Amino acid sequence: MHNSALGDARYALLRSFRRDGTPRDTPIWFAMDGDALVFRTKVGPKTKRLAAHPDIELRACDHRGRVRDGAATVAGRATLLSGAEAERANRILHRRYGWQWNIVPLIKVPGVTNVHQDLGVREKLRRARDRGVWSDSVIVRVEL
């Protein structure tokens, strides 16, 4: 199984590539789905990069994106999911991270960019209870 490089890490550093080949690193929460990995991201520049250049790299890291010493790089190919596939992958992620899955992205965590932290209180409360894929988010599957 390819996930041995990620071991028991709760976070992985996702390296995607801009059109000109410039790497962009982002720490992500992820879950294994068989021989693939799944994660959620907000619709935006990253999803455009992944659609245009699906070849990515992953390394185990901490919540701030600091790579573990000696962390191996895992190559993969990203696919943006939709519909039932996205909902299934979201359930896998929710099972792995529990209550944190919908709460942590909505709050301010020192040293972490939480793209949803500026939503209004009512919307944060709605999302905290929402078991589905958020409308401004995409679930990504990475074949390793």
Side-chain angles (χ1 to χ4, degrees), residues 33 38 79-92 133 139-141 143:
D33 181 15
V38 292
T79 304
L80 306 182
L81 300 180
S82 61
E85 285 183 310
E87 293 294 344
R88 182 183 157 281
N90 191 59
R91 285 192 298 275
I92 292 168
V133 178
I139 304 294
V140 181
R141 180 178 177 86
E143 297 298 332

Side-chain angles (χ1 to χ4, degrees), residues 16-80:
S16 57
F17 298 91
R18 289 184 173 155
R19 196 166 267 123
D20 67 3
T22 305
R24 295 290 300 162
D25 292 344
T26 312
I28 59 167
W29 282 6
F30 69 94
M32 297 309 298
D33 181 15
D35 287 339
L37 172 148
V38 292
F39 69 92
R40 173 176 68 189
T41 189
K42 187 172 181 183
V43 173
K46 189 185 321 160
T47 52
K48 287 180 183 151
R49 281 195 304 275
L50 293 171
H53 301 281
D55 293 318
I56 57 95
E57 296 172 358
L58 297 158
R59 290 181 292 163
C61 70
D62 69 9
H63 69 283
R64 291 187 176 174
R66 294 176 294 218
V67 174
R68 296 177 172 187
D69 287 340
T73 299
V74 178
R77 190 159 180 86
T79 304
L80 306 182

Side-chain angles (χ1 to χ4, degrees), residues 97-130:
Y97 290 98
W99 66 268
Q100 296 176 334
W101 179 242
N102 278 2
I103 303 300
V104 172
L106 302 174
I107 61 175
K108 183 155 182 50
V109 177
V112 175
T113 302
N114 278 349
V115 294
H116 300 286
Q117 72 184 22
D118 294 330
L119 294 170
V121 172
R122 185 169 284 145
E123 178 62 9
K124 285 184 180 181
L125 289 172
R126 189 191 70 72
R127 288 185 183 212
R129 294 186 301 265
D130 188 348

